[in-house]
Amino acid sequence: MTDQGKDLSELRRHTFGNSVDRYVLKKLVQKIFKKCRCRKIRGRESHATDENSEPKTSASRICPGHERALDIHKTVHDLDVREEGISTLMCYLELHPYEWVENLQPVYATCKLQCYGGPAQLQAVAKKCPPVAVAIAKQKMEGETFSYRSSVEFDIIELSDSMGWDSGPVKRELRLLQWNLQPGGASKTGVMVEFSDLTFHFRSPGDLTEDEMDGVIDFLHHRVVKQEKTELFQLDLLHSSLKSAAHRNYWMCCDEANMAKSDKLRGFIEDYFENDKSVEMRMSEAEENSLEDSTSRDLGQLVLDIRQFINLYGHEHSLNGRVIARVFHGIASPCFPSLTWGRVRRFWRCHLGVDFNSILKIATKELIGLR
Ligand SMILES: [Zn+2]
């Protein structure tokens, strides 16, 4: 470990790579709790008492919850948050006392059914397999025509949910369409069924009020901020502890163990693992210090760099404060991968020494000023 703390900034990057802005959380929450019609269908009589009451646990809601799937690739790029980051947020929601979601195994949600026997075979399959009939009927309502088509593609999770079924048995039934099962053995029917597009898979209600949605967003935001602060604090604590117990050079510690330093380090480690309260207390102190620290540094150059960055890339890319702070710290994200942005030597990791959240704030201000 060098005492200039260079590796400290390297490690901090991992933490900032996982942080998420509030408006991104809002987008995610809207996807997870997409509005359903249960309240309209089942809740008419209890509607009046319902609006103003306290948030509900899953057991006391009008909506029984829906099986849902979000395309992983698409969601990651929509939100510019890594897959693990989204999974973590989903876990926070599951662990909440109200159990907002129930996470299920990721599944392939797009079903493509192709009939080598042509349109007539597709019609015949629809007649004996209700999910296929429903999928075709829905697409007809949206203006598709099926007279000359021998294939159909649909979201199996959404379809099953709209029929009030679990997707598992529906998938099994669809797979069976590929085979003629006879006493002598199985033969192919000429129907091909393929599943693709891996998704986050979960159950969640769709009848949350606006207040409840805000509550969920606040809850997630609080968790994310707390997580970031805790990680940074622990990292700093670890760094300063090791530094205080370390020798300046390796040749100074060859022959004998230095018991005083060893005891000091042990004290730090015990404190780190056992004393949660003191961690929380010192966390707020450390936070104040870090802000003071970064305001006194060469912020003039930072502002110039931010403006230049916005000038150069603001037209082609949707920028926000976090994107700029990440590039300036050399932190990759799904929409700003290091393979591309790491080559922009002028900006990549150019302000590692400035506090990440200070860059975020200043860049956000600059962007708002331009609008
Ligand atoms: Zn519902």
Side-chain angles (χ1 to χ4, degrees):
M1 184 169 284
T2 62
D3 63 352
Q4 291 93 356
K6 271 187 186 157
D7 36 9
L8 186 63
S9 346
E10 290 300 324
L11 291 169
R12 281 203 183 113
R13 290 165 54 224
H14 295 289
T15 293
F16 291 125
N18 290 328
S19 298
V20 189
D21 285 317
R22 196 177 191 283
Y23 78 93
V24 175
L25 294 172
K26 185 175 178 181
K27 269 203 213 169
L28 175 67
V29 165
Q30 282 168 343
K31 285 177 196 277
I32 294 176
F33 301 101
K34 203 173 150 196
K35 287 248 177 303
C36 66
R37 299 177 60 233
C38 297
R39 197 182 273 270
K40 268 195 184 136
I41 298 166
R42 295 179 221 196
R44 221 159 249 160
E45 59 278 15
S46 59
H47 187 75
T49 55
D50 209 60
E51 280 292 325
N52 301 320
S53 56
E54 291 289 298
K56 293 178 179 54
T57 58
S58 50
S60 63
R61 305 201 72 88
I62 291 169
C63 173
H66 302 272
E67 187 183 347
R68 313 200 202 221
L70 289 178
D71 188 299
I72 292 179
H73 183 78
K74 194 172 170 295
T75 312
V76 161
H77 277 84
D78 268 6
L79 305 179
D80 196 17
V81 178
R82 286 185 296 217
E83 183 183 339
E84 312 82 71
I86 297 172
S87 300
T88 306
L89 294 170
M90 305 276 297
C91 286
Y92 289 159
L93 290 177
E94 186 168 56
L95 294 171
H96 187 278
Y98 289 127
E99 294 168 29
W100 288 113
V101 303
E102 179 193 349
N103 288 310
L104 307 166
Q105 283 293 322
V107 286
Y108 291 100
T110 304
C111 174
K112 185 170 185 190
L113 187 144
Q114 208 162 0
C115 296
Y116 291 116
Q121 189 179 27
L122 182 61
Q123 303 296 332
V125 166
K127 260 186 196 148
K128 72 170 185 182
C129 179
V132 179
V134 173
I136 291 178
K138 280 189 167 189
Q139 293 186 20
K140 277 184 178 166
M141 270 163 60
E142 285 159 13
E144 298 273 340
T145 51
F146 277 86
S147 325
Y148 305 106
R149 281 181 48 179
S150 50
S151 71
V152 60
E153 201 175 300
F154 52 89
D155 180 332
I156 179 75
I157 309 292
E158 199 184 301
L159 182 85
S160 311
D161 180 59
S162 75
M163 297 174 73
W165 295 352
D166 280 341
S167 67
V170 177
K171 271 188 156 177
R172 264 197 298 282
E173 191 176 332
L174 287 166
R175 278 204 192 91
L176 279 176
L177 291 172
Q178 301 180 103
W179 303 97
N180 275 320
L181 298 173
Q182 289 149 343
S187 62
K188 287 190 175 175
T189 56
V191 178
M192 273 271 289
V193 178
E194 284 175 336
F195 295 98
S196 61
D197 300 331
L198 200 59
T199 58
F200 296 111
H201 183 206
F202 53 94
R203 287 188 74 83
S204 65
D207 65 343
L208 269 65
T209 61
E210 289 300 316
D211 283 352
E212 282 179 310
M213 292 282 248
D214 282 344
V216 174
I217 298 165
D218 286 343
F219 161 72
L220 283 180
H221 191 236
H222 180 78
R223 282 302 301 257
V224 168
V225 170
K226 194 177 163 202
Q227 185 67 25
E228 179 183 305
K229 279 187 190 167
T230 311
E231 279 179 23
L232 289 178
F233 175 75
Q234 289 178 338
L235 204 58
D236 282 347
L237 188 66
L238 194 65
H239 178 255
S240 56
S241 309
L242 290 176
K243 202 174 141 185
S244 75
H247 294 273
R248 276 204 75 78
N249 291 301
Y250 70 88
W251 60 79
M252 291 169 75
C253 57
C254 289
D255 299 331
E256 267 174 63
N258 182 330
M259 288 320 283
K261 285 201 171 193
S262 161
D263 287 345
K264 196 171 164 190
L265 187 59
R266 182 184 311 203
F268 275 125
I269 292 170
E270 275 170 8
D271 208 31
Y272 181 92
F273 285 108
E274 282 168 16
N275 207 342
D276 265 358
K277 268 195 193 131
S278 82
V279 167
E280 290 238 340
M281 218 170 65
R282 280 182 294 172
M283 230 163 81
S284 49
E285 284 170 24
E287 189 190 350
E288 278 163 26
N289 289 342
S290 88
L291 277 176
E292 274 173 22
D293 236 29
S294 53
T295 41
S296 59
R297 292 204 184 126
D298 55 343
L299 295 185
Q301 185 59 43
L302 173 66
V303 172
L304 287 179
D305 284 342
I306 289 173
R307 287 182 186 158
Q308 204 175 9
F309 189 85
I310 296 171
N311 266 337
L312 283 169
Y313 303 108
H315 302 290
E316 313 163 50
H317 301 275
S318 94
L319 299 180
N320 57 52
R322 189 169 294 278
V323 163
I324 296 174
R326 277 178 179 166
V327 171
F328 285 12
H329 267 226
I331 300 167
S333 73
C335 296
F336 294 82
S338 56
L339 206 63
T340 319
W341 292 86
R343 288 200 197 122
V344 189
R345 291 254 170 261
R346 170 84 185 77
F347 296 110
W348 190 252
R349 296 161 60 91
C350 69
H351 285 283
L352 265 179
V354 185
D355 174 62
F356 181 91
N357 283 315
S358 303
I359 304 181
L360 195 157
K361 273 184 204 156
I362 295 169
T364 307
K365 250 189 214 161
E366 287 292 324
L367 283 162
I368 290 170
L370 286 173
R371 273 177 207 144

